[in-house]
Amino acid sequence: MKNLRRKTLAAASAVTLGVGLALTGGLAPAAAVGPDTTFLVLAPQGAATGPAAARVAAAAGTVVASYDQIGVLVVRSTNPDFATQVKGAGVESVAATTGLGSALEEDETVEVSAADVANATGDPTKEPMFGQQWDMPMIHVPQAHAVTTGSSNVVVGVLDSGISSSHPDLATQIAKDKSTSCIGGVTDTTEAAWNPTTSDHGTHVAGTIAAAINGVGVTGIAPGVKVAAVKVVNDGGYIYPEAALCGFIWAADHGMQVTNNSYFIDPWELNCRNDARQRPVWQAVQRAIRYSQSKGVLNVASAGNSNYDLAHKITDTGSPNNLPEGQDPEVREDLTNACLDLPAEAPGVVTVSAVGRTGAKSYYSSYGQGVIDVTAPGGDTRYRTQGAARTLSDGILSTTFDVATKTNGWGYKQGTSMSGPHATGVAALALSAHPGMSPGELAAFLERTSVAQSCPDGVFNLVPLIDPTDPHLYDATCSGGARNAFYGAGMVDAYNVVK
Ligand SMILES: [Ca+2]
Ligand SMILES: [Ca+2]
């Protein structure tokens, strides 16, 4: 996997070690003070959190958010012995989330200048930049809009880096009363808190789902629905489990029917395999995902941008060499129970790979038989030159926000972060045309209405020139039949879900 982006956990782990106060002979030890650390404290499944909260207080912790719905407390403490001291009746497990932030996968944005404002016609193809939106005809958005642009009763949660509420293509599209920040695992509903600060990733995602047909800029897939900003990416560009957990619960408790998750909490390499102490963190996130599904939310997630075979992680990683005596990392049971990439691999989540303009898998898109459910346009800026150079207009055009100049605009990005929202937008259209589907029914409907795509033969790699020293860097091999590792059930189709 060399040269492939996975993530940078090191920066998130840069927390200084606790420094206990020096003890001097004969004196009672002063309470040791460590770094201010966030913990997730899990009550037994289905149990009240009261007893756990009492233990938290006794162990010198502060509950900053209580998710009674799933029996999880978000706690801060400077007590270096907190994790040990909090254990007892009413506490099933506890773990610090230090070092478990995943970096948001940012791609270069190329700003484009908006064409002149046209008249709002109600026709998506008359939007000034529609000609650059090759992704929209590809999934038959204009044909879908002849039937419906979506229902304002459908609210899509964009769990991401915030949405610019001043953007001319988005200002009318945001459910402000359902938007929040979840940074730190704690909600903050002030408008400034859920606007973008250091990343416009969420603004781009939101535009793909629901940019207005207003004679300005671009069209989204479902401009008739509403998007809610649920900010889970902190200013350092990291998604911490407590923020993701908060986001799932918020969406579930505020009537959202679909969430988009263009991020990738990836515990597998560093955590689950080597460290069972961190398992409670992933169990807490999985409880949150299950809870949201029980409340009628379909969660859509990106597969990731590592050209990684998510179905064959064991063989790809080589032999671990730093395990405690007697611990066997190759036990599949451990992986499936505790080491899923979240939310992409959680049961019931729709997992989306990416294709470029030709419909072939994007060079970067992760894949996996039984993991990918559907595919959608995410852009591929490299296929045209065999990887030697970028063709930026082969990315996805959507709404942007320049965080340095605080300016709204439009621009290209590529990634499974861009394909996910295409599936999300189609899901929102489906629910608009056919209200009342459960998350399971909606996921099955999305797959059934997708257009199947066959596997390419042999080793697939359209970009051997990206790194001339390693022409096989982006090799990938597809497996499966009508439903396969690259494309799942096929390309989502906006018209098929509304006709
Ligand atoms: Ca527009
Ligand atoms: Ca899935």
Side-chain angles (χ1 to χ4, degrees):
M1 300 303 294
K2 77 185 168 83
N3 291 346
L4 295 189
R5 182 230 61 86
R6 286 298 286 168
K7 68 198 152 311
T8 314
L9 278 163
S13 308
V15 175
T16 52
L17 294 173
V19 180
L21 298 180
L23 303 183
T24 50
L27 293 175
V33 176
D36 193 5
T37 302
T38 300
F39 296 88
L40 298 183
V41 176
L42 281 68
Q45 182 86 48
T49 53
R55 294 207 61 86
V56 166
T62 303
V63 174
V64 296
S66 179
Y67 293 102
D68 299 343
Q69 304 95 322
I70 58 169
V72 176
L73 302 175
V74 180
V75 172
R76 300 232 165 82
S77 179
T78 57
N79 175 5
D81 296 323
F82 176 80
T84 306
Q85 292 176 5
V86 77
K87 285 181 180 158
V91 173
E92 180 182 289
S93 56
V94 57
T97 65
T98 306
L100 297 183
S102 295
L104 186 68
E105 297 180 339
E106 289 275 14
D107 198 63
E108 180 183 353
T109 303
V110 178
E111 300 284 345
V112 295
S113 42
D116 291 340
V117 174
N119 290 323
T121 60
D123 177 350
T125 68
K126 298 292 196 298
E127 290 294 276
M129 301 172 119
F130 183 81
Q132 294 153 271
Q133 292 186 277
W134 54 267
D135 49 318
M136 294 295 164
M138 191 170 193
I139 61 169
H140 303 129
V141 168
Q143 292 89 333
H145 286 183
V147 181
T148 180
T149 60
S151 161
S152 60
N153 293 326
V154 174
V155 180
V156 176
V158 178
L159 275 61
D160 212 295
S161 63
I163 302 175
S164 172
S165 59
S166 58
H167 199 292
D169 242 345
L170 294 171
T172 57
Q173 310 302 90
I174 301 171
K176 292 187 175 182
D177 60 333
K178 295 178 189 288
S179 293
T180 190
S181 165
C182 267
I183 304 305
V186 181
T187 57
D188 178 349
T189 58
T190 58
E191 191 163 335
W194 52 259
N195 261 263
T197 38
T198 59
S199 162
D200 71 343
H201 189 271
T203 298
H204 198 276
V205 163
T208 295
I209 297 167
I213 300 176
N214 55 357
V216 178
V218 295
T219 184
I221 292 162
V225 309
K226 297 293 176 195
V227 286
V230 183
K231 189 171 178 178
V232 298
V233 181
N234 74 12
D235 285 352
Y238 287 91
I239 303 102
Y240 275 88
E242 59 268 29
L245 177 155
C246 164
F248 285 117
I249 304 270
W250 174 271
D253 286 347
H254 291 82
M256 294 174 211
Q257 299 94 331
V258 186
T259 70
N260 186 82
N261 302 271
S262 284
Y263 60 91
F264 199 50
I265 304 180
D266 175 13
W268 191 71
E269 283 181 302
L270 294 180
N271 305 310
C272 292
R273 193 174 62 171
N274 299 340
D275 194 344
R277 290 170 303 169
Q278 294 170 349
R279 247 179 236 168
V281 172
W282 311 111
Q283 285 168 343
V285 176
Q286 286 177 293
R287 279 190 194 179
I289 292 172
R290 275 201 299 273
Y291 174 78
S292 75
Q293 290 165 346
S294 77
K295 288 291 201 173
V297 184
L298 179 71
N299 300 300
V300 176
S302 302
N305 299 336
S306 306
N307 186 42
Y308 198 49
D309 183 353
L310 296 165
H312 294 98
K313 285 185 270 197
I314 295 172
T315 54
D316 280 355
T317 54
S319 302
N321 52 17
N322 58 346
L323 292 170
E325 199 67 33
Q327 187 175 331
D328 178 7
E330 307 291 315
V331 176
R332 184 70 192 174
E333 183 176 275
D334 285 347
L335 297 172
T336 52
N337 286 347
C339 303
L340 302 174
D341 291 323
L342 296 173
E345 291 187 78
V349 172
V350 172
T351 309
V352 188
S353 63
V355 298
R357 199 191 273 260
T358 65
K361 183 182 95 68
S362 306
Y363 66 92
Y364 53 79
S365 179
S366 289
Y367 56 98
Q369 178 78 349
V371 178
I372 302 301
D373 295 306
V374 291
T375 198
D380 187 332
T381 61
R382 293 282 187 169
Y383 81 90
R384 218 179 263 280
T385 63
Q386 295 192 290
R390 287 172 164 237
T391 311
L392 292 156
S393 58
D394 288 332
I396 300 294
L397 182 67
S398 186
T399 43
T400 58
F401 179 75
D402 186 319
V403 295
T405 62
K406 310 272 183 220
T407 318
N408 295 299
W410 293 266
Y412 291 100
K413 293 179 192 280
Q414 72 169 2
T416 56
S417 286
M418 282 66 245
S419 68
H422 285 78
T424 297
V426 171
L429 282 183
L431 213 48
S432 300
H434 308 287
M437 281 190 276
S438 71
E441 289 166 345
L442 179 54
F445 184 65
L446 260 190
E447 293 178 17
R448 201 162 64 237
T449 53
S450 293
V451 180
Q453 288 189 198
S454 321
C455 276
D457 290 332
V459 176
F460 174 84
N461 185 345
L462 302 180
V463 294
L465 303 181
I466 281 188
D467 179 353
T469 68
D470 187 358
H472 298 293
L473 186 60
Y474 284 94
D475 282 2
T477 303
C478 187
S479 57
R483 187 182 179 111
N484 58 58
F486 278 14
Y487 309 117
M491 180 91 76
V492 295
D493 192 287
Y495 181 56
N496 285 351
V497 300
V498 301
K499 71 180 182 188

